Amino acid sequence: MPGSPTMRDAARRLPGDAGLWLFIAADTAAFGVFFLIFTAGRAEQPALYRESAQLLNAELGLLNTLLLLTSGWLMALAVKAARERDRPLLVRRLKQAILVASGFAASKAWEYTAKMEAGITLLTNEFFAYYYIFTGIHFLHYLVGVAVLLLTLSKARQQPLDAGLQSWTESAASYWHMVDLLWILLFPVVYLQR
Amino acid sequence: MKNADAKQQPPRRTGPAITAVTTVWLVLMVATGLTAWLIEGRPLSPAVSTTGAMLIACFKARLVAMHFMELHDAPPPWRWLFEAWILGCTAFVLAGWWLA
């Protein structure tokens, strides 16, 4: 019976490549371990973590959140365009998603440079070691994500918009949303615990 | 590219002009604005601002997972996995903060 629970269950699927979702699950689990390590460290030295966190630029972190959320939204619209077989709209949404995402790189470069110039490095204390390691690993994920978006844009320009490209776009979007998801939790954990 | 274009079907619309993901994005923007207000609000205690920021982040992460990553349409075990991860991380971080 159409629309019945059984039919809906049968239609349930993960967007994009199933193998990629195993990677996404493993990667999010790894960040879960990062949060555990950070929280355990903070429990031992709450004053150090609190004072160190106040040296971070929370406004810049909020800006980064807005940029990633907006880029993720544009990527979700790109997936919709791919499903509708609207190639010009897909190309436009991908360009917009990449353009907005580029603001994150500029912001992180500014942030890291300012910290280095203030003499705050990986060796300053335990908090800043975790700050550089965890935000740095996230930034590497971001760079991979931007490369995947650029590759998707290239494919969208050159290849027919068929089921294969739709699946590729869904996979690229799923990875990109993971980068967004990780930042949403990483930001308050590192920057906002007072 | 012309050959590729020639093979394309005309665009077929799959939803309204204001899509569900756009509504979700607007909610995410408002929630981020609320976080900004929480952390800048001088009268608020650290307990309120920290707990509020983590709970808002949990809410936002769930919206991204369910609507942008489309886990609301995924097989239930995948959905439960990410729901558990988001709630588990939030609970652990908040427990750590309150116990410290």
Side-chain angles (χ1 to χ4, degrees):
Chain A
M1 186 180 163
S4 68
T6 308
M7 290 287 284
R8 281 202 301 274
D9 287 347
R12 287 183 184 279
R13 69 175 192 96
L14 290 165
D17 182 72
L20 174 74
W21 278 90
L22 293 175
F23 171 81
I24 289 175
D27 225 25
T28 49
F31 269 80
V33 174
F34 294 165
F35 298 146
L36 293 181
I37 293 169
F38 187 90
T39 301
R42 193 182 188 284
E44 287 182 5
Q45 305 180 77
L48 172 76
Y49 277 60
R50 188 169 51 247
E51 288 157 14
S52 300
Q54 284 171 352
L55 298 175
L56 298 178
N57 191 331
E59 288 79 11
L60 219 48
L62 281 166
L63 173 66
N64 285 335
T65 306
L66 294 174
L67 289 170
L68 284 186
L69 288 173
T70 301
S71 181
W73 165 60
L74 291 165
M75 203 52 207
L77 293 179
V79 168
K80 184 172 183 289
R83 288 172 180 160
E84 293 173 346
R85 299 292 187 266
D86 189 340
R87 198 231 282 268
L89 185 59
L90 169 62
V91 168
R92 198 160 66 241
R93 292 299 185 217
L94 286 168
K95 284 180 181 173
Q96 290 168 341
I98 294 165
L99 181 68
V100 173
S102 64
F104 185 86
S107 169
K108 291 307 285 184
W110 170 279
E111 183 181 351
Y112 286 143
T113 304
K115 287 283 160 292
M116 296 287 187
E117 284 177 354
I120 297 172
T121 69
L122 197 72
L123 302 176
T124 298
N125 62 32
E126 185 179 283
F127 173 90
F128 282 107
Y130 289 152
Y131 160 76
Y132 278 110
I133 291 169
F134 298 155
T135 62
I137 291 172
H138 178 267
F139 190 59
L140 286 177
H141 282 70
Y142 160 88
L143 291 176
V144 171
V146 170
V148 169
L149 295 193
L150 286 169
L151 184 58
T152 308
L153 176 60
S154 170
K155 282 174 175 281
R157 280 173 164 160
Q158 294 170 16
Q159 294 181 9
L161 180 39
D162 54 13
L165 182 56
Q166 177 189 321
S167 177
W168 175 279
T169 307
E170 288 175 349
S171 297
S174 297
Y175 179 88
W176 190 240
H177 295 316
M178 179 198 71
V179 173
D180 197 356
L181 177 70
L182 296 175
W183 176 256
I184 287 172
L185 286 176
L186 185 61
F187 170 54
V189 168
V190 176
Y191 290 66
L192 301 185
Q193 294 196 70
R194 300 298 189 221
Chain B
M1 183 144 54
K2 281 183 180 174
N3 285 341
D5 276 335
K7 293 177 186 171
Q8 302 306 305
Q9 299 292 322
R12 47 188 166 84
R13 300 293 164 214
T14 60
I18 301 295
T19 61
V21 289
T22 299
T23 307
V24 169
W25 172 71
L26 287 170
V27 173
L28 289 166
M29 293 291 104
V30 172
T32 305
L34 186 58
T35 303
W37 178 79
L38 269 178
I39 61 173
E40 298 299 332
R42 294 288 178 265
L44 295 175
S45 70
V48 172
S49 66
T50 301
T51 306
M54 277 309 301
L55 290 177
I56 291 170
C58 176
F59 170 70
K60 286 162 62 179
R62 200 176 167 279
L63 280 182
V64 167
M66 293 304 125
H67 298 280
F68 285 5
M69 297 174 90
E70 301 183 7
L71 284 165
H72 63 288
D73 276 338
W78 281 96
R79 177 178 175 153
W80 297 335
L81 182 71
F82 280 83
E83 295 253 30
W85 181 80
I86 293 166
L87 290 173
C89 288
T90 305
F92 189 86
V93 170
L94 280 178
W97 190 90
W98 280 96
L99 292 174

